[in-house]
């Protein structure tokens, strides 16, 4: 059953002398029980996509398209409904930057218990939720400035879990964590999906996505260029960018992608990866579309 349906979502930031095309014509679905990972290089638009769903973009942002969550278009429902019905209740967020998300004058325990009370849940759940997120209950009595980066990351994860939302958006939730805690956090997200919830995981950690994702959407220069089951993406990548991204991993070819991504203020009319691609032809001057947005996919059956 589809929980979130994103159709043609685009985000533009208007600057004085340019327009940043941060997200372009994105269409995705997240189903109950599914973990969808959105992966790609830094600056490709992954976090902007998440913030658009929460209505947390600055005033110079222009958002178009639809994003229907459990029957409500979160892009057009208005701030009052977002604040009263959506944020924290139907849609949870693990933010990318815990240091800017935590109230500095509240301990972790105060933040958790206040969140639980606001959502009519038992405040006594605070320590259990903290432990589920990998946080020592004793650390709940510390203020955010007394926490390490990894501890702060675990605290914002616990806060997102406290409201038990049907859909959780986790934006780089493993930042600052050592490998055992990375695995702990990923397994926690996976269990939520196995229990009937859903997770949209935003990450540049391809190993993390491979470990837990059902479906992977690969983002490049504001667009989704490949959207397929995870086992297919990691086993037989179809888009040249996906293959190059995987080949850059240390446990694979460890080969960097040549060149640089285009500026989001000057995207080409056709394929944005063409300038870095060995398979480029004249056809690439036209914008490719589909679950594998490439005129010359590595696997012709994948494009179909």
């Amino acid at each position: 059953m589809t929980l979130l349906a994103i159709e043609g979502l685009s985000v533009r930031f208007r600057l004085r002398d340019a327009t940043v095309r941060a997200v372009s014509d994105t269409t995705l679905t997240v189903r109950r029980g599914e973990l969808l990972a959105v992966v790609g290089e830094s600056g490709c638009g992954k976090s902007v996509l998440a913030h658009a769903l929460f209505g947390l973009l600055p005033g110079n942002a222009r958002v178009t398209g639809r994003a229907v969550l459990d029957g409500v278009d979160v892009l057009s429902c208005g701030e009052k409904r977002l604040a009263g019905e959506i944020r924290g209740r139907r849609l949870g967020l693990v933010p990318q930057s815990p240091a800017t998300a935590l109230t500095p004058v509240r301990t972790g325990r105060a933040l958790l218990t206040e969140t639980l009370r606001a959502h009519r849940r038992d405040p006594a759940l605070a320590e259990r939720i903290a432990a589920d997120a990998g946080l020592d209950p004793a650390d709940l009595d510390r203020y955010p400035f007394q926490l390490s980066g990894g501890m702060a990351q675990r605290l914002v994860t616990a806060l997102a879990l406290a409201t038990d939302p049907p859909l959780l958006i986790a934006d780089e939730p493993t930042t600052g964590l050592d490998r055992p805690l990375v695995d702990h956090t990923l397994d926690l997200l996976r269990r939520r999906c196995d229990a009937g919830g859903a997770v949209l995981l935003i990450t540049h950690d391809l190993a993390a996505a491979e470990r837990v994702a059902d479906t992977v959407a690969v983002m490049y220069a504001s667009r989704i260029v490949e959207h397929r089951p995870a086992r297919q993406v990691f086993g037989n990548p179809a888009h040249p960018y996906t293959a190059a991204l995987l080949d850059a991993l240390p446990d694979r070819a460890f080969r960097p992608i040549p060149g640089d991504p285009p500026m989001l203020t000057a995207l080409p009319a056709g394929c944005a990866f063409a300038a870095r691609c060995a398979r480029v032809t004249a056809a690439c001057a036209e914008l490719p579309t589909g679950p594998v947005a490439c005129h010359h996919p590595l696997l012709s059956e994948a494009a179909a």
Side-chain angles (χ1 to χ4, degrees), residues 41 55 93 114 118 121 136 155 180 191 216 242 245-246 276:
E41 294 169 282
L93 176 66
E114 288 170 7
R121 301 192 72 196
D136 188 333
L155 177 56
R191 287 196 299 273
V216 173
T242 306
L245 200 62
L246 292 173
R276 308 173 75 184

Side-chain angles (χ1 to χ4, degrees), residues 235-251:
N236 294 288
H239 196 284
Y241 171 65
T242 306
L245 200 62
L246 292 173
D247 279 347
L249 293 174
D251 59 349

Side-chain angles (χ1 to χ4, degrees), residues 106-250:
R106 291 283 191 275
T107 63
R109 187 180 303 278
L111 290 169
L112 262 176
T113 56
E114 288 170 7
T115 300
L116 288 164
R117 287 193 183 98
H119 291 267
R120 298 180 180 179
R121 301 192 72 196
D122 186 356
L125 293 171
E127 291 199 0
R128 193 199 75 187
I129 293 171
D132 286 346
L135 189 67
D136 188 333
D139 293 325
L140 287 178
D141 296 314
R142 298 175 183 265
Y143 289 91
F145 72 89
Q146 296 174 311
L147 303 176
S148 68
M151 292 164 67
Q153 185 67 55
R154 282 171 271 164
L155 177 56
V156 294
T157 298
L159 288 167
L161 296 172
T163 64
D164 196 25
L167 175 60
L168 182 68
I169 296 182
D171 190 358
E172 303 287 3
T174 58
T175 299
L177 304 183
D178 58 23
R179 179 48 57 181
L181 282 171
V182 168
D183 293 342
H184 177 94
T185 301
L186 294 173
D187 291 344
L188 177 63
L189 298 178
R190 182 66 258 175
R191 287 196 299 273
R192 286 188 64 80
C193 296
D194 294 341
V199 173
L200 196 162
L201 171 65
I202 294 173
T203 184
H204 65 271
D205 186 343
L206 296 175
E210 186 175 16
R211 178 184 173 93
V212 294
D214 299 299
T215 313
V216 173
V218 182
M219 200 168 192
Y220 181 76
S222 84
R223 291 185 179 277
I224 302 296
V225 297
E226 183 164 355
H227 180 203
R228 301 165 63 217
R231 59 180 176 78
Q232 295 178 10
V233 169
F234 290 104
N236 294 288
H239 196 284
Y241 171 65
T242 306
L245 200 62
L246 292 173
D247 279 347
L249 293 174

Side-chain angles (χ1 to χ4, degrees), residues 54-105:
F54 281 89
L56 297 177
L57 296 175
N60 66 333
R62 180 173 177 267
V63 182
T64 57
R66 287 168 52 83
V68 179
L69 173 66
D70 199 19
V72 178
D73 183 0
V74 297
L75 302 183
S76 63
C77 68
E79 173 60 25
K80 183 177 180 180
R81 196 167 186 186
L82 278 172
E85 298 180 25
I86 305 300
R87 295 190 196 116
R89 292 168 173 80
R90 303 190 195 185
L91 192 60
L93 176 66
V94 179
Q96 185 178 18
S97 301
T100 61
L102 296 171
T103 304
V105 296

